[in-house]
Amino acid sequence: MAENKKEALLIATRNKGKIREFRDVLEKAGFSVFSVFDKAPDLPEPIEDGQTFSDNAAIKAKYYAARTGMLCLADDSGLVVDALDGAPGVHSARYAGEDHDDEANNAKLIKSLQGVEREKRTARYVCVLALAAPGKEPLLAEGTCEGLIDLKPKGNEGFGYDPYFYVPSFGKTMAELDLDEKNSISHRGAALRRLQELLS
């Protein structure tokens, strides 16, 4: 994505799991990658009041680009469960309430799916990336990953809903995949590849 001289890129998130995944891909693509912790640790987080993943990704990218003067990459991503009419969706990080954590979000998800047959627990991870330079409208790219929700967790990798998100092509949950495997099929990896296509 970046040419010869390494371009500085800010990952506009405080989610350390996302930072790790983005850094793994983007440093290989030639960027000098920084996180909010590196460049804007005291900056308040923007209000994500969009109705879609695209809305929220754009809000974050433009906010951090304007305040840091850097090229910024933001994402909004979440889990869409068909049997729950698309929930948790854009509220994935706050599914169990504002004072959420992964454990509480997962507990609510599994409780909501009790009694639903496995083949009907189809779901997908969705990621929309927004790449914004200061004062510019962001470039958007979307990626998805299809799977099923298992009611019992497996694996210690990843974060969020990963221990419950079963990937049929691997026969494992997201939390059982190593980082290279995950990036090869994840919604975030797919969105990054789409962004690379748009940039090239």
Side-chain angles (χ1 to χ4, degrees):
M1 281 157 66
E3 303 295 334
N4 303 322
K5 179 185 161 191
K6 286 193 174 184
E7 185 162 11
L9 178 68
L10 180 74
I11 305 299
T13 182
R14 285 182 166 82
N15 183 313
K16 292 180 180 178
K18 289 183 182 181
I19 292 167
R20 179 171 163 253
E21 290 179 15
F22 280 131
R23 180 168 270 137
D24 181 68
V25 174
L26 293 166
E27 286 182 345
K28 290 174 184 172
F31 283 105
S32 289
V33 180
F34 300 92
S35 75
V36 173
F37 297 113
D38 300 319
K39 295 293 184 180
D42 300 322
L43 197 62
E45 292 193 30
I47 296 170
E48 296 175 48
D49 54 3
Q51 298 300 305
T52 66
F53 294 118
S54 296
D55 290 343
N56 286 331
I59 286 168
K60 287 184 277 192
K62 290 194 286 187
Y63 174 88
Y64 282 106
R67 285 157 181 80
T68 65
M70 295 180 68
L71 182 67
C72 288
L73 182 70
D75 93 309
D76 198 50
S77 53
L79 180 67
V80 173
V81 181
D82 295 319
L84 301 178
D85 296 323
V90 294
H91 304 294
S92 291
R94 306 176 294 280
Y95 191 40
E98 286 299 327
D99 296 324
H100 68 280
D101 61 16
D102 289 346
E103 187 176 351
N105 288 335
N106 281 317
K108 181 175 180 179
L109 174 69
I110 298 313
K111 184 177 180 181
S112 300
L113 288 171
Q114 293 297 323
V116 179
E117 297 173 16
R118 189 173 192 266
E119 62 269 20
K120 293 182 180 176
R121 297 198 299 267
T122 51
R124 68 206 48 82
Y125 272 134
V126 178
C127 172
V128 175
L129 295 178
L131 181 69
K136 304 286 187 181
E137 281 301 306
L139 183 66
L140 299 176
E142 181 173 330
T144 60
C145 178
E146 299 288 331
L148 293 166
I149 302 301
D150 276 344
L151 300 184
K152 292 187 177 179
K154 288 183 181 176
N156 299 307
E157 300 298 319
F159 58 95
Y161 300 98
D162 287 356
Y164 296 90
F165 189 90
Y166 178 81
V167 184
S169 59
F170 276 91
K172 297 177 180 179
T173 68
M174 276 285 200
E176 294 179 289
L177 303 179
D178 66 34
L179 194 56
D180 285 339
E181 288 175 324
K182 184 177 181 181
N183 282 335
S184 74
I185 55 97
S186 77
H187 53 311
R188 205 162 287 115
L192 278 166
R193 288 188 291 277
R194 177 60 182 146
L195 186 64
Q196 284 179 297
E197 290 172 7
L198 293 172
L199 287 171
S200 61

